[in-house]
DNA sequence: ATTTATTATCGTAATATTGCAATATATAAA
DNA sequence: TTTATATATTGCAATATTACGATAATAAAT
């Protein structure tokens, strides 16, 4: 197979899994860290910084965008990628809610 | 390819990615939630509850164990799986640290 | 209009993941 | 010791992911 049986899980479980999946690659972690620590956040800089080919970075950026973790503003021929702070905060809260409600009983 | 270039990223980035990857499947989310909300946490119950085949559940449990998120105590012919609370708390702190240090500048 | 620079998309190869049937292992009960 | 129960492992098919070369698309500069 290779396909996840999403239909047997609830919305919260699937949503959490999707977000975790987007974050489950060190390149995407590195991109997020790089974007957040730069004044100007431009794709080509990311390529130089991370050390993966430009199409690969572009694809990772697309995945980060797919859950609105980042947003890209077009500035001439460049695109300024930034972390989408409201979504970022929302996801952090979602994670904390998951961690806080999923540790209750324990041997 | 299909293989992640872990060698070009630092330990923190790879570690975060590995943890996120373990959590990036709705079945594993569901297992963690089920384990935490039961008094007795036994693998066979999980199979009945989740709706995936026993080998599939066993494999997911193995992945959760691979990062010490859960621990399994053998009780007769059953195994009592429980959330490993210290690790659970550690990961929550790691995530919060990541989220708090990665949102600084933003358009 | 042509060139240059930046980013996106397509196609593809290599590898990883998901899920399950079949089977193995281990322990308790009969 | 045989049988029943619970869990783990193996092997495999289907699909997903990662990475990149080639190429397209877009916009500024010449």
């Amino acid at each position: 197979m290779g396909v996840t049986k999403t239909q047997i899980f609830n919305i919260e479980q699937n949503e959490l899994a999707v977000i975790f999946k987007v974050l489950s690659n060190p390149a995407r972690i590195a991109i997020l860290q790089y974007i957040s620590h730069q004044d100007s956040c431009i794709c080509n800089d990311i390529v130089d910084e991370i050390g993966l080919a430009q199409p690969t970075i572009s694809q990772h950026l697309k995945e980060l965008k797919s859950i609105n973790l980042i947003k890209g503003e077009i500035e001439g021929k460049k695109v300024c990628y930034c972390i989408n702070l409201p979504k970022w905060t929302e996801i952090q809260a979602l994670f904390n809610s998951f961690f806080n409600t999923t540790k209750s009983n324990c041997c």
Side-chain angles (χ1 to χ4, degrees), chain A:
Chain A
M1 312 220 156
V3 70
T4 305
K5 286 193 166 179
T6 52
Q7 72 280 2
I8 66 173
F9 303 106
N10 67 36
I11 291 174
E12 188 208 3
Q13 290 160 343
N14 283 307
E15 191 186 348
L16 274 168
V18 166
I19 298 168
F20 282 133
K21 181 157 287 177
V22 170
L23 292 170
S24 74
N25 180 293
R28 292 196 284 274
I29 300 285
I31 288 170
L32 288 168
Q33 291 177 330
Y34 182 67
I35 285 180
S36 81
H37 295 323
Q38 290 306 108
D39 284 338
S40 66
C41 32
I42 286 133
C43 182
N44 198 249
D45 289 0
I46 301 177
V47 174
D48 296 341
E49 174 70 16
I50 309 281
L52 291 171
Q54 181 269 322
T56 308
I57 297 292
S58 190
Q59 186 180 291
H60 283 310
L61 288 167
K62 194 177 175 184
E63 287 177 70
L64 290 168
K65 255 192 296 185
S66 75
I67 59 163
N68 292 311
L69 250 184
I70 59 172
K71 50 184 179 178
E73 281 181 38
I74 297 164
E75 285 187 7
K77 50 186 168 185
K78 296 186 178 182
V79 178
C80 172
Y81 279 108
C82 298
I83 287 178
N84 184 3
L85 196 51
K87 187 71 182 180
W88 191 253
T89 309
E90 179 195 321
I91 289 174
Q92 185 176 13
L94 190 69
F95 282 6
N96 276 312
S97 168
F98 169 67
F99 272 84
N100 290 333
T101 59
T102 312
K103 66 182 180 190
S104 28
N105 102 307
C106 224
C107 320

